[in-house]
Every structure is written in C-alpha cells, then in structure tokens.
C-alpha cells in the first residue's frame, strides 16, 4: 500500500468516525509519517516482534492505552461501535482486529496522538513531530535518521 492509498482508504475514513476537532492536516501528516516510520506501510505484523497494524501497536501498550485513557476512550468506543465491534472490546480483540482493519488501526493511531498534551506539529517542525512520536509510541529502537524525510513526505501528501 502506498502512503496516498493509506490516507485515502484508512486514515480519512477513520477521521470521519472521530470528532471533527481531531481532523487537521497536522493529524493527517503525523498519522502518515508514523505509519511510514513504524512499518514502511508494508508490514501488518512486526517482523520479529509482537506489534500489529501499519502503526505497529502492541496489545499491552498503545492498544490498552487508547482503550483506557480518559481522552481517547470515548472516541475509540464510538469507532468500535461504528465498525460493528463491541464498544467494550478488550485489548486482545482490538489487537487482533487492527492487524487487518486499517480504518480501526488509523483511529487508534489518531487517538493515541490525541492523548498527548501538546498541539500537533506544524509542517516546519519535524523535531516536534519526532518528540511526539517518541512520547506516544515509545519505540524500542527508534531511528531518528528516517523520521524527518517521512514527516516531510507526509506533509506533501496531505497538503
């Protein structure tokens, strides 16, 4: 899948299920950039690891966090219900679903970003994007050297 296809087929449909205030070019760009950073939008299951979906969520990390955080819980319940999942789904069920449901995975990604206290970064602030990505995803082996190019490419796609 290309970044353009991910945007059109997963991220934009996910954002339609979320409150309007969560939709912005900054949110779109961060979701595209993080998917490129995490999986190159090629791997629905982490190579040699436990993460699922293009955003590489782990069951006990991002999945559980989005399901339980006071800021993200109402939004993910609405999305789960809209996609015909039990809105009280447990982390294991959501973890299994996001491997193949890109709309659900994109909603998890946006809602994880929503739990951060700061506003999302502007186009000219890849360093802020990197910091927010690290704070939200907590990658085990972060690769700073690739993020700025993905961030710039993501902004080109959404602008």
């Amino acid at each position: 899948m290309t970044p353009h296809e991910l945007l059109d087929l997963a991220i934009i449909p996910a954002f339609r299920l979320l409150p309007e205030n969560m939709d912005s070019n900054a949110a779109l760009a961060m979701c595209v950039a993080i998917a490129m950073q995490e999986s190159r939008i090629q791997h629905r299951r982490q190579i040699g690891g436990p993460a699922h979906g293009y955003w590489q969520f782990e069951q006990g990390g991002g999945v559980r966090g989005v399901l339980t955080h006071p800021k993200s819980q109402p939004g993910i319940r609405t999305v789960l219900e809209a996609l015909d999942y039990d809105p009280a789904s447990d982390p294991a069920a959501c973890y299994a679903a996001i491997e193949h449901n890109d709309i659900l995975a994109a909603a998890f990604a946006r809602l994880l970003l929503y739990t951060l206290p700061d506003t999302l970064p502007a186009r000219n602030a890849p360093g802020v994007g990197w910091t927010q990505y690290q704070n939200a995803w907590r990658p085990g082996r972060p690769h700073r050297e690739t993020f700025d190019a993905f961030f710039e490419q993501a902004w080109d796609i959404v602008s």
Side-chain angles (χ1 to χ4, degrees):
M1 181 175 299
T2 69
H4 288 281
E5 291 168 335
L6 185 70
L7 180 66
D8 290 342
L9 299 174
I11 299 170
I12 291 172
F15 279 32
R16 286 188 191 124
L17 301 173
L18 296 168
E20 241 179 78
N21 68 328
M22 289 192 199
D23 188 357
S24 67
N25 280 351
L28 294 168
M30 281 293 286
C31 284
V32 171
I34 292 168
M36 289 191 293
Q37 179 75 14
E38 283 289 312
S39 70
R40 306 302 191 259
I41 314 174
Q42 295 175 3
H43 307 286
R44 292 177 181 278
R45 185 176 285 233
Q46 184 180 25
I47 297 170
H52 282 183
Y54 290 132
W55 288 272
Q56 301 289 288
F57 277 94
E58 293 185 17
Q59 181 176 321
V63 171
R64 182 178 306 280
V66 169
L67 288 170
T68 60
H69 194 284
K71 284 183 75 175
S72 57
Q73 187 179 60
I76 200 59
R77 286 185 177 204
T78 298
V79 170
L80 287 165
E81 189 171 316
L83 295 175
D84 292 327
Y85 294 98
D86 180 354
S89 289
D90 66 2
C94 291
Y95 174 69
I98 63 173
E99 183 175 356
H100 297 288
N101 188 327
D102 299 333
I103 295 170
L104 181 60
F108 267 91
R110 176 59 186 106
L111 287 162
L112 184 57
L113 288 169
Y114 188 63
T115 65
L116 296 173
D118 298 320
T119 59
L120 294 173
R123 182 180 189 131
N124 63 350
V128 174
W130 171 254
T131 298
Q132 289 186 357
Y133 158 68
Q134 283 194 294
N135 289 341
W137 264 255
R138 298 182 187 135
R141 285 178 268 163
H143 299 283
R144 178 70 175 99
E145 67 278 3
T146 58
F147 187 82
D148 288 7
F150 291 145
F151 186 83
E152 183 178 333
Q153 183 181 353
W155 269 99
D156 288 344
I157 291 166
V158 304
S159 297

